[in-house]
Structures are given as C-alpha cells and as structure tokens.
C-alpha cells in the first residue's frame, strides 16, 4: 500500500500556511523597520545640519562684529601711523576671542599691510591683486565679503578671508580690514561631532567652493562643486532639506542634510553613511531573521514529524493489512494442507494396499507407481503451505550460520551454473542462532536459484552475513529487541528486479510471474524465518536488482548453555504439522516447481 500525496497535503496545509505567515510577517517587519531607520537617519542629518548652520552663523557674525569694530576704530583715528603698537595690541586681544581666526590685518589703499597681528614676521608684499581686495576696491557698497579659500603668502596655509571696506571721510577707498579664518578649525570642530563611520560635514560657499570638510580633504579645499547636490537643484528650491546621494569625493552613498546660512552665502552639509544609518536596522534584521529561522525550523520540524508520522501510519496500516491478509491466507493454507494431507495419506495407503494385488499386472502397477510419485509432489506442496502457515515441523538447533553457509557453498556454486559468480562475504563473527539448519540451506538455495533466474545475462550473486545490534526498520514494521544482537543474511543480485505492483504481492502464496512453478517460494521463506523468531526484508527495483535480508536473533551465551532460544515460538512442541507431511527435499538445480517463487517481472 503506497502513501497518497493528497492525504498528506491537507494535514500539512496549516503548517505551510504558518510558515508562509512567518515569512510574510518577517518581511513586513523588516520593511517597516527599514523605513523607520531611514527616517531616523534623515531626521538626524537634518537636525545636525540645522545645529551646525546656527553655530556657523554665530561664528561668522562674531567675525563680522570684530571687523566692524576694527573699521570703526580706524575711522575714528584717520592719521594713525602704520603698525601702531596700541592698535596691534587691540587686534591681538580680539584675536584671542576668535579661535577660528588665524590673523587679523588691515590693508591700506596702496595694497600693503598697514596693521597686522603677525607683525613683524609678515613680509612686506602687495596684496592689491587679491580677489577680496579688488572686490571692495571696485564696489563701495559691498558689505561683509567671504572669498574662496586662498593660501597665505606669509605662512603657506589655507585661509578663508572675511573682509570689510574702510572708507575715508570723503567716502573714497581707504583700504580693507581682513580676518583670515582657518578651515582647519572647522575640520577639527566637525571632527568632534558624531556623524558615525564614513560620515562627513562640509562647509561650502553658495557658488560651490568647498571651504572646510571633515574628514579632511586637503586636495578638495577651494574646488568648486557647483554641479553637485544640493547646490545644483535642491538649494534653489529650498534653503534647507534632506536627500540621498553619492559623494563625488569618496563615492559613498549617504543621506545628506543641508541648510543655507542667512547672513553669509554659505551652506552646511551633513552626510550620514548609509551603513551607519542602517546599522540599527541590520541588528534588528539579524534578530528578526534568527527568530524567523527558529520558527521556520520548528515549523519545518513539525512538518517533518507530521510526514514521518503519516508515513509511519501508512507503513503500519500496510503492515497490518499485509499481516491480516497473510494470516487469513495462512489459515486457509493450513486448512487446505491439513485436509489435502489426510486425503493424500489415504490415497498413499490405498496404493500400498493395491501393489501386492497388482503384482501380475505390470501395466496397472506402473500406473499406481506413477500416481504415488505424483502424490509425493503434492506432499511437497503441502510442506510449502505448512511453512507459509507457520505450521511446518522444524528441528531447530543451535547453528553457527557462517559455518553452515560455508559448508553449503559448493552446492550453491553448482546451482548458479558457470555463467554466474557466487561471492560469499561471511562476517557474522561466529554468531549462532536457534533454527533448522536444513531449512536454512533450502531457503538459501531457493533464493540463489531465483536470483540466477533473474540474471539472464549472468553476473554476480552476493551472499553476505553480518552481526548487527538492531535491524534497520524505516517503516516501523515491528519493534525489535534493542538488547539482542541479530544475524543478517543478505542475498543480493543485480538482476531484472520487480516492479512495485509485483513487490507488494511478493509474499502471497500461489502468486508468480514466471509462467511456471507454484508461487510458494517467498511465502515458504517468510514462514520459515518468522517461525524461527526472525524476519524477512525484501527490497527490489525494476531494472536495478533485488536484495533479500533474513534476520535471525543471536543466541545469548546463557541460552546456548541452557539449549533454548530467547523466543519459544520455534519449539517443535508448538508445531502442528504432522511429521509425515514435512518432506525435506532440497530442490535441485533447474528442477522442481518454482523453488522460490520470487515474484519477478520477466516481460
């Protein structure tokens, strides 16, 4: 009886639905947590950009307030000589309050530095060519001017000039006052803020010129990034915002928050790396994935257990059905054998009585002898039926199986013929079982002859013995004694094998596909082995060959001393067959009515 897949589908449907539900819920949870992590990252970038923009605004306002104060002081003393000590001291005091400014200086209308906090180390060179100088010289209405980064001609470092125009009393150009702001100050300040691994903070002019960046990018200072967002399109739409983009400097994907300053044409950008933003989500995803994997594993285990339980149930049902069917057949076979045996004995007695009276009639005597010979064949069939019904009379004794098979090997080799090789692999290590050795030999001979018939092209038949702790029982056919060792006798052939339909009825009496014989072979083998407290396993695949395993319980040492087996079912006292019905003929090579009756499909 083969399991029906549709019978498994309905019981497994809830487990499959549960598994799909776990996957769906896990996926939805991961999507939701991903969106939440992205939103949190965007909020963090936006908030940090706002805070830095306000801080930078105040910084620039402080610089501008200082420049206005210096300008007013110079306007109040128009005749002040160059590098005035009192003014220089005032400039230095103001410089101490501005840690982000490297130097404060005044450029006269002639383009040379008139007052300087670095005096006297500052070289006397004309700065009339500097863009910030020209901007104020050409535009009297220009207020606070922030120029793109330049390298100092005195110390050779980058600085950003914050400058205001100085007007004479008549309104003409009287020079400029300048604060040299260091980009490195902003880099150091930004470095102290937490933007995570691969994050950045950048300060740019509205025209795209990079003023400062953290992590530092010395080669990028002073370069224009006007074609890069947010300067390209986002800033024109809104002075502040958030977007996802890829940095042109390091190629990293980040969420970028930006905000433009109100008083100075500059923009603060804050970028948080995608991997930093999504790190909490990844940690959450690991937890969700592990939880889902555990639940799916439990569900899978449940599915496997259900399938195994169903298969075990199917196998048990098939075993019970086969056992009931064979038991019914056994009762019928036993009754037939009993009645037929009585009839045969009466006929044999009649023939014995007739022989003396037919001594002078040779023709009639010959007929009586032929009929008597035919009755002997019928007696052999009765013995097969009794074996299947487990009512055959056995003569069990303690038998070392390897020795018995080795002694019987010449007959087996003669039986298989010259085109087939018999390979004996005896490794039962001297284990003994309580069984009828003659019936064991007859069983092996039948199996070997049947294997020979299944190999029309020749080959090798393997007869193997081994000691095992417990027989394999994938179908749950019976509960084996875990404390007892077993001897397994295996007959393997690479013959034509059996299709499933034939394999299912292999142990049925009178079932054969050979076209000859009586189909009692395997049924007799099953009866003998089970009567000896053992079991038979049959495995066959069409075109792949057949494996027959005979399992016998090993005699324990104390049982061998007492002369009895662990199971009392094989005692001859419990056998109901009559002695005269148990004919002990071993089928010879190529003769006899289907000695094994293995149900093979031979086309």
């Amino acid at each position: 009886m083969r399991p029906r897949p549709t019978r498994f589908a309905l019981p497994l449907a809830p487990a499959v639905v549960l598994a799909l539900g776990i996957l769906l819920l896990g996926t939805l949870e991961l999507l939701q947590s991903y969106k939440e992590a992205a939103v949190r990252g965007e909020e963090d970038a936006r908030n940090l950009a706002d805070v830095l923009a306000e801080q930078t605004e105040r910084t620039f306002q402080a610089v501008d307030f200082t420049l206005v104060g210096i300008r007013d002081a110079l306007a109040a003393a128009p005749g002040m000589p160059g590098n005035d000590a009192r003014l220089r001291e005032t400039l230095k005091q103001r410089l101490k309050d501005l840690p982000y400014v490297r130097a404060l200086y005044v450029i006269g209308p002639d383009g040379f530095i008139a007052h300087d906090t670095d005096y006297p180390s500052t070289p006397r060179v004309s700065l009339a060519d500097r863009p910030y100088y020209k901007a104020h010289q050409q535009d009297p209405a220009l207020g606070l001017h922030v120029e793109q980064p330049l390298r100092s001609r005195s110390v050779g470092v980058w600085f950003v000039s914050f400058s205001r125009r100085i007007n004479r009393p008549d309104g003409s150009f009287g020079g400029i006052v300048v604060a040299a702001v260091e980009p490195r100050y902003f880099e150091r300040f930004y470095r102290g803020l937490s933007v995570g691994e691969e994050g950045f903070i950048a300060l740019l002019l509205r025209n795209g010129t990079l003023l400062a960046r953290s992590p530092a990018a010395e080669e990028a200072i002073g370069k224009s990034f006007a074609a890069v967002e947010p300067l390209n399109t986002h800033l024109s739409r809104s002075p502040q915002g958030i977007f996802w983009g890829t940095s042109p400097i390091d190629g990293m994907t980040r969420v970028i928050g930006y905000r433009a300053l109100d008083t100075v044409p500059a923009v603060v950008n804050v970028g948080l790396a995608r991997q930093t933003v999504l790190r909490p989500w990844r940690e959450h995803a690991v937890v969700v994935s592990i939880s889902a994997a555990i639940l799916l594993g439990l569900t899978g285990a449940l599915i496997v257990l259900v399938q195994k339980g169903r298969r075990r149930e199917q196998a048990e049902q098939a075993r019970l059905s086969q056992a009931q069917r064979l038991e019914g057949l056994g009762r019928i076979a036993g009754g037939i054998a009993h009645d037929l045996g009585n009839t045969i004995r009466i006929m044999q007695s009649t023939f014995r009585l007739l022989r003396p009276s037919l001594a002078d009639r040779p023709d009639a005597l010959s007929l009586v002898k032929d009929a008597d010979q035919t009755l002997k064949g019928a007696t052999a069939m009765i013995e097969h039926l009794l074996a299947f019904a487990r009512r055959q009379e056995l003569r069990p004794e303690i038998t070392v199986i390897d020795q018995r098979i080795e002694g019987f090997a010449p007959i087996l080799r003669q039986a298989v013929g010259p085109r087939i090789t018999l390979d004996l692999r005896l490794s039962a290590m001297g284990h003994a079982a309580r069984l009828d050795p003659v019936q064991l030999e007859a069983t092996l001979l039948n199996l070997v002859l049947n294997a020979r018939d299944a190999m029309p092209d020749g080959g090798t038949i393997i007869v193997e013995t081994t000691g095992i702790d417990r027989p394999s029982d994938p179908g749950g056919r019976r509960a084996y004694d875990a404390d007892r060792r077993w001897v397994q006798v295996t007959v393997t052939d690479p013959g034509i094998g059996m299709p499933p339909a034939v394999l299912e009825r292999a142990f049925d009496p009178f079932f054969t596909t050979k076209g000859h014989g009586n189909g009692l072979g395997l049924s007799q083998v099953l009866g003998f082995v089970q009567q000896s407290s053992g079991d038979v396993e049959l495995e066959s695949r069409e075109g792949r060959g057949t494996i027959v395993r005979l399992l016998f319980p090993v005699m324990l040492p104390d049982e061998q001393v007492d002369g009895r087996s662990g199971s009392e079912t094989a005692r001859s006292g419990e056998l109901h067959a009559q002695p005269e019905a148990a004919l002990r003929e071993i089928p010879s090579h190529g003769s006899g009515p289907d000695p094994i009756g293995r149900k093979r499909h031979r086309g």
Side-chain angles (χ1 to χ4, degrees):
M1 182 181 298
R2 288 172 290 177
R4 299 176 183 175
T6 54
R7 295 187 61 186
F8 293 123
L10 291 178
L12 292 179
V16 173
V17 171
L18 177 60
L20 293 177
I22 292 173
L23 289 176
L24 179 60
L25 291 177
T27 302
L28 293 177
E29 171 62 23
L30 291 179
L31 290 176
Q32 181 64 26
S33 60
Y34 179 87
K35 293 179 180 179
E36 292 176 355
V39 170
R40 283 196 298 270
E42 293 174 356
E43 292 178 351
D44 291 343
R46 180 187 294 108
N47 294 336
L48 188 55
D50 291 343
V51 171
L52 289 177
E54 293 176 0
Q55 187 273 340
T56 304
E57 192 96 47
R58 288 194 296 269
T59 299
F60 290 172
Q61 288 175 353
V63 173
D64 187 34
F65 179 78
T66 300
L67 294 178
V68 171
I70 296 173
R71 182 196 63 182
D72 293 343
L74 290 173
M80 184 181 296
N83 292 314
D84 180 76
R86 287 182 297 178
L87 179 60
R88 185 169 62 252
E89 187 63 26
T90 300
L91 294 179
K92 289 183 178 180
Q93 288 297 328
R94 290 178 178 270
L95 186 63
K96 291 180 181 180
D97 297 331
L98 303 173
Y100 32 85
V101 177
R102 190 194 64 78
L104 295 171
Y105 56 94
V106 178
I107 303 177
D110 58 355
F112 289 92
I113 295 178
H115 304 279
D116 185 13
T117 54
D118 290 338
Y119 180 85
S121 61
T122 304
R124 183 170 175 76
V125 294
S126 176
L127 301 179
D129 60 338
R130 288 297 201 186
Y132 57 87
Y133 183 85
K134 292 181 179 181
H136 288 289
Q137 189 179 38
Q138 297 172 0
D139 186 4
L142 183 65
L144 177 65
H145 177 68
V146 181
E147 186 57 64
Q148 66 182 23
L150 298 171
R151 282 195 178 273
S152 172
R153 290 175 177 173
S154 60
V155 293
V157 298
W158 287 102
F159 74 98
V160 178
S161 62
F162 283 65
S163 58
R164 275 193 174 272
R165 177 187 172 102
I166 301 175
N167 289 325
R168 290 173 178 172
D170 59 0
S172 62
F173 179 67
I176 62 174
V177 56
V178 183
V181 178
E182 283 193 283
R184 290 182 178 177
Y185 165 81
F186 293 98
E187 294 173 1
R188 291 191 297 268
F189 175 73
Y190 294 158
R191 196 182 307 134
L193 301 177
S194 176
V195 291
E197 186 179 357
E198 304 295 343
F200 80 90
I201 302 174
L203 177 63
L204 302 96
L205 295 177
R206 281 181 176 263
N207 62 9
T209 302
L210 180 64
L211 301 181
R213 187 182 189 276
S214 177
E218 189 78 12
E219 69 283 356
I221 299 297
K223 291 185 177 181
S224 177
F225 296 93
V228 179
E229 297 296 350
L231 301 173
N232 187 24
T233 58
H234 288 82
L235 192 60
S236 61
R237 298 172 183 171
S238 174
Q240 62 182 12
I242 193 87
F243 68 95
W244 289 83
T246 302
S247 171
I249 297 178
D250 56 16
M252 291 288 297
T253 300
R254 298 178 175 89
V255 55
I256 300 173
Y258 68 92
R259 178 174 172 179
L261 278 65
D262 296 330
T263 58
V264 177
V267 181
V268 174
N269 288 352
V270 176
L272 303 180
R274 180 187 183 91
Q275 61 184 16
T276 302
V277 172
L278 298 181
R279 180 177 293 116
W281 173 80
R282 287 197 298 270
E283 295 173 354
H284 179 66
V286 170
V287 175
V288 172
S289 300
I290 293 176
S291 302
I294 293 174
L295 292 176
L296 288 175
L298 293 176
T299 304
L302 176 62
I303 293 175
V304 171
L305 290 176
V306 170
Q307 289 180 327
K308 289 179 65 176
R310 289 292 179 178
R311 284 196 295 267
R312 188 178 297 110
E313 179 183 354
Q314 291 286 332
E316 181 64 21
Q317 291 176 354
R319 186 189 70 81
L320 291 175
S321 176
Q322 184 183 40
Q324 291 171 356
R325 179 165 49 85
L326 293 179
E327 182 181 358
L329 291 174
R331 286 196 298 267
I332 295 173
I336 292 175
H338 180 269
D339 296 339
L340 187 58
N342 291 335
T343 302
I344 291 175
R345 283 195 298 275
I346 293 173
M347 295 176 65
Q348 286 177 332
S349 299
T350 302
F351 290 150
R352 282 195 296 270
L353 293 174
L354 287 175
R355 283 182 182 178
S357 62
L358 297 175
D360 56 346
R361 298 174 61 184
D363 294 339
L365 184 60
S366 176
L367 292 175
V368 170
K369 290 181 179 179
D370 291 341
D372 189 41
Q373 188 65 31
T374 303
L375 290 178
K376 290 183 179 180
T379 304
M381 182 179 296
I382 291 174
E383 182 181 3
H384 295 329
L385 290 173
L386 290 173
F388 172 70
R390 306 181 198 178
R391 295 170 59 182
Q392 180 185 26
E393 182 182 13
L394 299 179
R395 295 184 177 86
E397 60 185 59
I398 299 175
T399 304
V400 179
I401 293 180
D402 281 358
Q403 293 180 0
R404 196 72 186 190
I405 296 177
E406 187 175 7
F408 194 59
I411 297 178
L412 294 177
R413 288 192 171 91
Q414 182 181 5
V416 298
R419 299 177 62 249
I420 296 177
T421 302
L422 182 68
D423 183 7
L424 294 182
R425 302 176 184 178
L426 307 179
S427 57
M429 299 177 294
H431 288 319
R434 187 174 180 82
L435 49 80
D436 189 328
V438 177
Q439 287 297 323
L440 174 64
E441 292 174 353
T443 296
L444 288 175
L445 181 60
N446 287 336
L447 293 176
V448 167
L449 287 176
N450 201 73
R452 178 202 66 186
D453 294 340
M455 301 165 59
D457 298 328
T460 300
I461 300 173
I462 300 174
V463 177
E464 183 178 8
T465 64
T466 183
I468 58 176
D469 291 332
R470 185 172 184 173
S472 61
D473 189 27
R477 297 176 60 243
R478 60 176 293 176
Y480 292 103
D481 187 355
D483 297 330
R484 180 179 292 275
R485 287 184 61 81
W486 296 73
V487 175
Q488 179 174 281
V489 181
T490 307
V491 179
T492 306
D493 70 76
I496 59 177
M498 306 181 215
V502 174
L503 182 63
E504 188 174 354
R505 300 186 57 190
F507 291 108
D508 290 1
F510 303 111
F511 176 76
T512 180
T513 59
K514 284 187 173 183
H516 62 84
N518 53 33
L520 291 172
L522 273 182
S523 59
Q524 181 185 13
V525 170
L526 178 65
F528 158 67
V529 176
Q530 291 186 344
Q531 200 169 345
S532 302
S533 301
D535 200 2
V536 179
E537 294 179 358
L538 180 60
E539 179 181 338
S540 183
R541 294 182 63 184
E542 192 171 9
R544 298 292 184 86
T546 301
I547 301 175
V548 182
R549 298 183 183 91
L550 310 179
L551 302 168
F552 299 101
V554 174
M555 293 287 294
L556 300 176
D558 57 342
E559 293 174 342
Q560 296 184 30
V561 172
D562 295 340
R564 53 183 175 84
S565 68
S567 174
E568 299 299 326
T569 60
R571 293 185 187 178
S572 59
E574 293 186 2
L575 305 177
H576 305 292
Q578 298 182 9
E580 58 268 23
L583 303 180
R584 297 186 171 277
E585 295 179 358
I586 300 176
S588 60
H589 172 65
S591 64
D594 188 17
I596 180 65
R598 186 185 299 177
K599 319 310 184 217
R600 293 188 182 268
H601 179 70
R602 304 188 62 179

